[in-house]
Amino acid sequence: EPEVTQTPSHQVTQMGQEVILRCVPISNHLYFYWYRQILGQKVEFLVSFYNNEISEKSEIFDDQFSVERPDGSNFTLKIRSTKLEDSAMYFCASSSGTGLSPLHFGNGTRLTVT
Amino acid sequence: SQKIEQNSEALNIQEGKTATLTCNYTNYSPAYLQWYRQDPGRGPVFLLLIRENEKEKRKERLKVTFDTTLKQSLFHITASQPADSATYLCARSAGAGSYQLTFGKGTKLSVIP
């Protein structure tokens, strides 16, 4: 069964550094998402992306965050200047449609900011 | 804002019994609710979706109900097995015209052999 893949599985970075988290969504999906989960907390929406542009974003997704689909397969999340509170598990997801279409999640990148 | 609550953080149940997990929401009824399973260190995996106009949905040993009067969804696992042990997440659309999902904190189910 097709799956969403994310790299790296773990990323340790120093505060103030830039990180790029990478995702390969399921190939025929059109909608792409980033969610995050701070340890012990809820899964929280960050951003959705469709037709090469952001369709929705949450309050968490401030100017330090950006997303890109640089080619036909990758979907990336960049954090420009990481803060301690950015430490979390970041999940990429994709879906074939919106609303009634379920999300297919990757297994996440654990980001630790020191 | 549209909230979703899973009041039980943890549920322990004997193997073979039926597990029932509760999800409550606030404000208006969402068009649908989704249930996901999450294992430690892994991403959520979709299980079932139930629409507002559906009272009940089944898939193998899983059953979901949607009660718009109580503003509640129940998730049942019949004949539970130790392999069913995981955290189960309820999710709703964030609001009208939005396709982002708002997740509950989840209920950690432990099925004891």
Side-chain angles (χ1 to χ4, degrees):
Chain A
E1 185 176 323
E3 57 181 28
V4 175
T5 56
Q6 290 187 243
T7 55
S9 55
H10 293 91
Q11 174 90 51
V12 180
T13 190
Q14 288 192 325
M15 196 167 52
Q17 296 296 304
E18 174 183 288
V19 294
I20 297 176
L21 310 183
R22 302 180 192 280
C23 169
V24 179
I26 293 174
S27 62
N28 63 347
H29 283 183
L30 301 175
Y31 298 84
F32 314 112
Y33 312 83
W34 285 100
Y35 284 76
R36 79 172 187 190
Q37 187 174 31
I38 294 170
L39 190 63
Q41 303 294 315
K42 297 180 181 184
V43 175
E44 300 175 289
F45 171 79
L46 293 178
V47 67
S48 60
F49 191 86
Y50 169 71
N51 201 25
N52 279 322
E53 61 182 27
I54 290 173
S55 45
E56 288 180 276
K57 61 183 180 179
S58 71
E59 291 176 356
I60 303 168
F61 194 89
D62 61 22
D63 292 344
Q64 293 300 312
F65 291 86
S66 62
V67 289
E68 194 178 33
R69 188 155 163 83
D71 52 43
S73 59
N74 291 286
F75 180 51
T76 62
L77 174 70
K78 182 193 290 186
I79 310 175
R80 284 190 188 82
S81 177
T82 50
K83 303 189 273 285
L84 294 176
E85 54 265 37
D86 293 328
S87 295
M89 185 76 98
Y90 287 80
F91 293 110
C92 174
S94 68
S95 65
S96 57
T98 57
L100 295 172
S101 299
L103 299 187
H104 296 256
F105 285 85
N107 281 323
T109 293
R110 179 167 298 285
L111 176 67
T112 302
V113 182
T114 60
Chain B
S1 63
Q2 310 306 322
K3 290 190 178 176
I4 195 150
E5 300 288 343
Q6 293 181 259
N7 293 327
S8 295
E9 285 196 10
L11 177 66
N12 296 328
I13 193 163
Q14 208 71 34
E15 183 177 4
K17 300 290 186 186
T18 297
T20 299
L21 285 62
T22 305
C23 174
N24 295 290
Y25 60 87
T26 61
N27 299 328
Y28 65 85
S29 286
Y32 55 86
L33 287 165
Q34 299 188 21
W35 284 86
Y36 289 78
R37 169 182 172 140
Q38 187 175 27
D39 290 283
R42 314 279 283 188
V45 174
F46 172 76
L47 296 174
L48 279 170
L49 179 149
I50 186 165
R51 302 179 197 203
E52 185 183 16
N53 61 356
E54 295 175 319
K55 290 236 185 307
E56 182 180 297
K57 199 82 166 277
R58 290 175 186 261
K59 177 182 174 184
E60 298 171 352
R61 293 184 295 112
L62 308 181
K63 184 177 87 171
V64 174
T65 62
F66 195 160
D67 188 326
T68 54
T69 303
L70 294 178
K71 294 192 175 182
Q72 184 178 85
S73 174
L74 298 179
F75 177 82
H76 306 272
I77 306 175
T78 57
S80 57
Q81 303 165 0
D84 295 327
S85 299
T87 297
Y88 290 86
L89 310 177
C90 177
R92 65 168 290 168
S93 59
S98 169
Y99 297 116
Q100 65 174 273
L101 289 180
T102 299
F103 283 85
K105 199 170 176 185
T107 297
K108 184 175 179 181
L109 175 68
S110 297
V111 180
I112 303 159

